Amino acid sequence: MTTEPPETTENAEPGTPGAGGPGPAEGETVGGSTEGAEQSGDEATAAQPDGESGDSEAGDGDAEAKKSEAEAELAAQRVERERIARRKAEKQGPIDSGTKLSGKAADLLAAVRAVESGAKPVAAVFSEPEPPRRPAPEPVRRPEPVAADAPAGPAPETVDSVRRVLADGGAPETLAPQIAAVLGESAEDQLRADPWQLLRVAGVRPEQADGFARALLGAECGPDDERRARSVTVWLLEQAALAGHTALELPALTAALAQRGVPDADTAVQNTLAEGEALAFQDALDEPGAPARQDDEAEEDEERPVRVLVGLERYALAEESLADGLARLINSVPKQDGSAEEWERAASAAGSAADLVRAVSAHGLVLHTGGEASLTEPAALLRAAHSLGLRAWAATHTPLGRERFAALLSGSDGPDDGAEAGSAPGVATVAGLLSGAEGPGRDTDGAFDLDLLVVLDAPQLDVETAALLTESLPDGARLVPAGDPAVLWSAGPGRVFADLLAARICPQIASRRPDPGPLGELVSGVGIGELNQVEAPGKELVIVPVRDAGECVHRTVQLVADSVPRAIGVPAEQTQVITPGHGGAAGTRALNAALKERLNPGPGRFGGFDPGDRVAYSPAPGRTVPGQVVKADAEGLHLSCAGEAVVVPKERVEQSVRHGWALTAHQAVGGRWPAVVVVLPGDAAQALSRPWVYTAFSRADRHLSVVHGVDQALPRAVAEVPAKPRTTRLPVLLRAQGSSVD
C-alpha cells in the first residue's frame, strides 16, 4: 500500500488506515430511534392474486380430456383463495381493548378504543389499513424526454396570505411558499387556528413553532395545549422517518415527547391516534430462541409478547402494500416464455449466473447479492430472458448507474454474458421508470409492460418506492432485487433489501465473483469488519495523513487538481471527492468552495453558480443526480445531468442544487468514478461506520486516495460500528404472509 500521494505530496507522512489496534467504540444514538431487531409474528397464509376462475367440475368424454393443467391449477387457486379469505376475515375481527397487554400500553389502547367508540371511527386507528390500489387504467405511454422537474407552486394569493400570518407571528416570511404548498389554499386559516402546523414544514423545530404560537395566541398558548402535543407527536414521527424508521415503539415515542416538554405524553399519543394523524399496531413477537410457530399453534396460543408501534399512515400503508405485493409475486405462477429445457440451456450458457437464471425461471421473486463485479450476473440474466422472449428491463438508482450497466449489457465480457452483444434489453432509473419518462411504459391496466424487472442498487429502495414498484408489476411478472447488502441503506425510511434478506421468503443467490485488484481486496475486508493493509503496486490506493481540517482541504484540492491527473492519468472531472457531511471545516461546502476556486473560478452569477460548475441536483428528497451547469437565463439554471437537459427554476435553485465536486457517501451511492478521494477530517470521527466506509471506498474504480485525519477512529468504525438500527414492520408483515422457501 502506498502511503504517499503520487508525485506532489512532499509533506505527507507515512500512514495506513489499518495501523494500530482497534479501541472501544462509542455507539451513536438517534433521537427517537428504537432497536431494529427483526421480530417474528403470527404466521398467516398469503393471499393469492386475482385470476381467471377455472371450471371445478370434470366433464365427460372429450371435455374431460381437453381440460388443461392450467385450468386445474386455477381451480386449486380459487379454493385456496376462498380459504385464505375466510382466515383473513376471522383475523380482522375486532380486538378487545388492551388484549395481551399490560400496564401503560394496555391503558393507552383502552383509552383510544373508548374515543373511537364515540365520534372517531375505529378504522382511523387500529384496523389494518387497506393497501393502496393499483391506479386506474391509463393509455400505454412510451418513454419521453425528461422535462423540468419543477412542480406547480401554490397560488400567489395563498403565499401572500401566509406571509402576512408569518409576519404577525415573527416567523421568517421566506417560509411562506413551503407552508402554502404543504397546507394548501386554507393555509392562513389553519395557521391562525393552530400555529403549531408550522412544524409540518421541513427544518422547523418545536421551539421555533412555540415562539410563533406565543406571538399569535398570547395567553392562550401553553405547554399543555392539545394542538401542540399532537403536532409534536407527528413531528417526532417525521424525524424518525428521516432517520430511517417507518414506526416507533410506544415507549420510545412517549419518552421523546416527555423530552420535548409535553406534560402528558400518553394523552398526546392517544389524541394523535384518535384524530387519525398516526396509526398504532400490535405486533406479536416470538420469544428469543423459540422455534417458529405454525398457524394452528399461533391461533391457539395463550399469552405472547407483543410490541406496540406508532407510525405515520403513509409509511404504514406502504409497508402493508409492499408485503401484499411481494406475496402476490411469490404465490402467482411466473409467465412461462420458453420451456424448461430452453431455460436450462440459457442457464448453462450463463456462466456464473447459472444459479440466478435457474432460480428466476421458477420463482416470481429472487434476491441477488454481490459487489461491483457481480453485475455481470444480472446482465447475463437479462440477456437470457430477452433471448427467451421475455420483456426484460433493469432499473438503477442513478443515471450514472444506468449508463454503466447499459454499457455492460451492450458489451461482451466472455462466457458470463450469456448472449451476443446487441441483444441487451433496456435500462432505466427507478425514478424514470415510475414516472413513465423511461422504461417500457404501462399497459391498459396501469401495470409495467414487462415480464422481468431487475432492480439494481436494491439497498437504496425506501419502503414507499419499493411499494410503488411492486404494485406496478403485472401478475406473472418476475422481480429480482439485486445489490450489495454492505452499502448504506436508503435515504428514505425502511430497510427493504435487508428485511427481505432476513425474512428468507424467496430464493437468495449470492454471487461468488469478488471485486478484483487491491481496491477489491480492501473493500472486501471492510465488508467483514477488517481494515487490511493491501499491496498497491500501481498506486491504486494512497493514504495521505493530515493534522487538521485546513490541511484536509489543501491536500484534497492538490490531489484532485494535480496529483491524480499526473500520476494516475484520471482528469479532475472524473475524480469524485466524498466526505462524511455537509458542514464543518472540511465538509462538502468547504471542499466545494475550495475546488471551485481552483477548477472553475467565477463570480457565481446565478445563485453562486457559473457555467462549467459540477453540481449535485436533488429533484426529490433522497435523490441526487450529478451534473454540470450549462448556462443560466430567465427560465432558470440549465444543467446537463447524464446527458439530459434539466432546467431548474430560479426559486428552486437554492433548495435543490449544490456544488458537486464533493459529495456525501449517501449522495454517492449508485455512482462509481475512475478516481475517488475520501476525506476523513478529525471532526468526522463520530459519523463513521462500517457501511459508510464500505460505501465511500467502493465508489472508486481505478484509484482511491484517503485523506486521513481520524487516527484510530477509522479501524474502530470498520471493526465495531455497524449500521444504525431501524424500526420497521416489514419483517413481521412478511412472516405473516406465510410464504417460505425450503
Side-chain angles (χ1 to χ4, degrees):
M1 178 189 298
T2 305
T3 57
E4 297 182 356
E7 297 198 5
T8 58
T9 54
E10 310 91 301
N11 299 323
E13 300 177 1
T16 169
E26 294 182 2
E28 292 187 59
T29 60
V30 177
S33 65
T34 58
E35 293 187 2
E38 292 89 2
Q39 307 287 356
S40 59
D42 293 331
E43 295 184 356
T45 307
Q48 296 279 2
D50 292 336
E52 298 177 5
S53 59
D55 188 358
S56 61
E57 296 182 0
D60 296 326
D62 293 340
E64 182 175 3
K66 292 179 181 179
K67 184 175 181 180
S68 66
E69 293 182 3
E71 290 174 322
E73 177 65 20
L74 288 172
Q77 289 186 14
R78 185 181 64 181
V79 174
E80 182 68 8
R81 284 197 300 272
E82 293 173 352
R83 185 183 71 82
I84 292 169
R86 290 194 301 270
R87 292 175 60 84
K88 291 185 74 174
E90 294 171 357
K91 293 192 175 186
Q92 290 175 352
I95 303 173
D96 292 336
S97 299
T99 300
K100 300 180 182 178
L101 296 177
S102 61
K104 186 180 295 184
D107 295 338
L108 174 61
L109 290 177
V112 172
R113 287 301 176 84
V115 173
E116 292 173 350
S117 64
K120 306 301 178 184
V122 175
V125 185
F126 279 126
S127 62
E128 292 190 4
E130 183 179 349
R133 297 184 179 180
R134 180 172 294 167
E138 58 181 271
V140 176
R141 295 179 298 177
R142 307 310 303 172
E144 299 176 355
V146 175
D149 288 65
E157 54 271 19
T158 303
V159 176
D160 291 340
S161 64
V162 171
R163 189 174 287 114
R164 289 192 296 270
V165 181
L166 294 176
D168 292 343
E173 296 182 23
T174 54
L175 295 176
Q178 295 172 261
I179 296 173
V182 171
L183 299 181
E185 296 181 358
S186 61
E188 178 186 7
D189 295 336
Q190 292 185 59
L191 276 180
R192 292 195 182 277
D194 183 359
W196 287 281
Q197 290 291 307
L198 194 68
L199 282 173
R200 296 181 61 180
V201 177
V204 177
R205 301 184 62 80
E207 53 268 24
Q208 296 167 324
D210 288 341
F212 178 67
R214 283 193 296 270
L216 286 184
L217 300 179
E220 298 180 15
C221 179
D224 58 347
D225 194 299
E226 179 183 328
R227 295 167 293 183
R228 178 183 188 272
R230 289 202 313 268
S231 293
V232 172
T233 301
V234 173
W235 180 82
L236 285 171
L237 294 174
E238 290 282 8
Q239 296 305 302
L242 291 175
H245 309 283
T246 60
L248 286 180
E249 292 191 20
L250 180 60
L253 179 57
T254 54
L257 284 167
Q259 291 176 354
R260 291 290 169 180
V262 176
D264 190 345
D266 290 340
T267 300
V269 176
Q270 169 190 326
N271 292 336
T272 305
L273 296 175
E275 290 294 332
E277 295 179 314
L279 299 175
F281 309 92
Q282 299 178 73
D283 286 344
L285 308 177
D286 283 334
E287 297 285 358
R293 304 168 186 250
Q294 302 299 321
D295 285 349
D296 292 340
E297 296 178 34
E299 289 177 355
E300 298 175 0
D301 197 8
E302 61 291 342
E303 288 289 337
R304 297 187 59 185
V306 299
R307 65 174 180 175
V308 178
L309 296 175
V310 181
L312 298 174
E313 181 182 32
R314 59 184 291 191
Y315 304 124
L317 289 175
E319 284 190 302
E320 296 276 358
S321 176
L322 176 57
D324 289 344
L326 292 171
R328 175 173 62 88
L329 292 176
I330 292 171
N331 291 293
S332 62
V333 178
K335 182 177 180 181
Q336 292 299 323
D337 282 348
S339 64
E341 292 76 13
E342 290 173 324
W343 275 97
E344 182 56 36
R345 283 196 297 271
S348 300
S352 66
D355 290 343
L356 179 60
V357 174
R358 291 189 182 100
V360 171
S361 70
H363 298 87
L365 178 66
V366 177
L367 305 180
H368 180 263
T369 60
E372 182 70 18
S374 72
L375 287 176
T376 58
E377 295 175 359
L381 166 65
L382 285 165
R383 292 199 189 98
H386 190 71
S387 68
L388 291 170
L390 272 72
R391 300 164 297 171
W393 278 79
T396 65
H397 182 59
T398 65
L400 288 177
R402 177 192 61 198
E403 301 305 318
R404 191 171 73 251
F405 192 69
L408 179 62
L409 278 172
S410 62
S412 179
D413 294 327
D416 284 335
D417 289 342
E420 297 296 328
S423 65
V427 188
T429 62
V430 170
L433 185 66
L434 288 171
S435 69
E438 304 174 51
R442 296 179 183 260
D443 60 24
T444 55
D445 292 327
F448 292 144
D449 194 13
L450 50 73
D451 303 309
L452 168 65
L453 177 62
V454 176
V455 181
L456 304 171
D457 310 313
Q460 300 312 302
L461 287 176
D462 60 79
V463 67
E464 290 184 297
T465 303
L468 287 172
L469 279 174
T470 306
E471 184 70 17
S472 297
L473 289 172
D475 292 341
R478 297 171 171 88
L479 175 63
V480 181
D484 191 338
V487 301
L488 288 166
W489 292 336
S490 63
R495 30 166 276 167
V496 174
F497 196 55
D499 284 345
L500 281 172
L501 290 170
R504 307 194 68 82
I505 60 172
C506 65
Q508 300 181 14
I509 307 299
S511 174
R512 293 186 292 273
R513 292 177 65 98
D515 289 343
L519 295 182
E521 181 183 349
L522 175 69
V523 171
S524 296
V526 172
I528 60 174
E530 298 176 358
L531 191 62
N532 300 318
Q533 298 187 40
V534 298
E535 295 296 329
K539 296 184 178 178
E540 294 90 349
L541 175 62
V542 170
I543 309 301
V544 184
V546 293
R547 291 178 291 273
D548 53 41
E551 191 178 2
C552 264
V553 175
H554 171 72
R555 292 299 184 195
T556 300
V557 174
Q558 181 187 47
L559 284 164
V560 174
D562 295 327
S563 303
V564 173
R566 275 194 281 122
I568 310 299
V570 178
E573 58 268 22
Q574 295 180 18
T575 301
Q576 184 62 57
V577 177
I578 299 175
T579 192
H582 294 299
T588 62
R589 296 187 186 96
L591 288 168
N592 278 318
L595 288 164
K596 174 176 171 54
E597 182 179 355
R598 177 66 181 273
L599 299 173
N600 194 46
R605 291 186 296 271
F606 193 93
F609 299 97
D610 294 296
D613 281 358
R614 282 176 65 174
V615 296
Y617 171 50
S618 298
R623 283 181 54 205
T624 299
V625 182
Q628 188 175 43
V629 176
V630 177
K631 64 177 182 178
D633 56 23
E635 294 182 19
L637 192 65
H638 292 250
L639 310 178
S640 175
C641 299
E644 297 173 348
V646 176
V647 180
V648 184
K650 181 178 180 179
E651 62 272 15
R652 296 190 62 220
V653 170
E654 184 178 358
Q655 298 176 0
S656 59
V657 183
R658 295 175 180 264
H659 284 107
W661 287 282
L663 302 173
T664 65
H666 267 110
Q667 291 177 315
V669 170
R672 195 171 171 93
W673 292 267
V676 167
V677 177
V678 175
V679 182
L680 303 175
D683 60 1
Q686 294 299 317
L688 298 181
S689 66
R690 183 186 307 160
W692 192 97
V693 176
Y694 184 96
T695 302
F697 284 11
S698 62
R699 299 309 93 195
D701 189 24
R702 291 170 47 193
H703 172 79
L704 171 66
S705 286
V706 181
V707 180
H708 192 342
V710 292
D711 297 326
Q712 294 305 307
L714 179 59
R716 183 165 61 246
V718 170
E720 303 177 18
V721 186
K724 294 178 182 177
R726 294 185 175 186
T727 303
T728 69
R729 297 187 63 233
L730 187 58
V732 172
L733 294 172
L734 291 173
R735 291 188 178 97
Q737 295 293 347
S739 301
S740 61
V741 178
D742 294 333

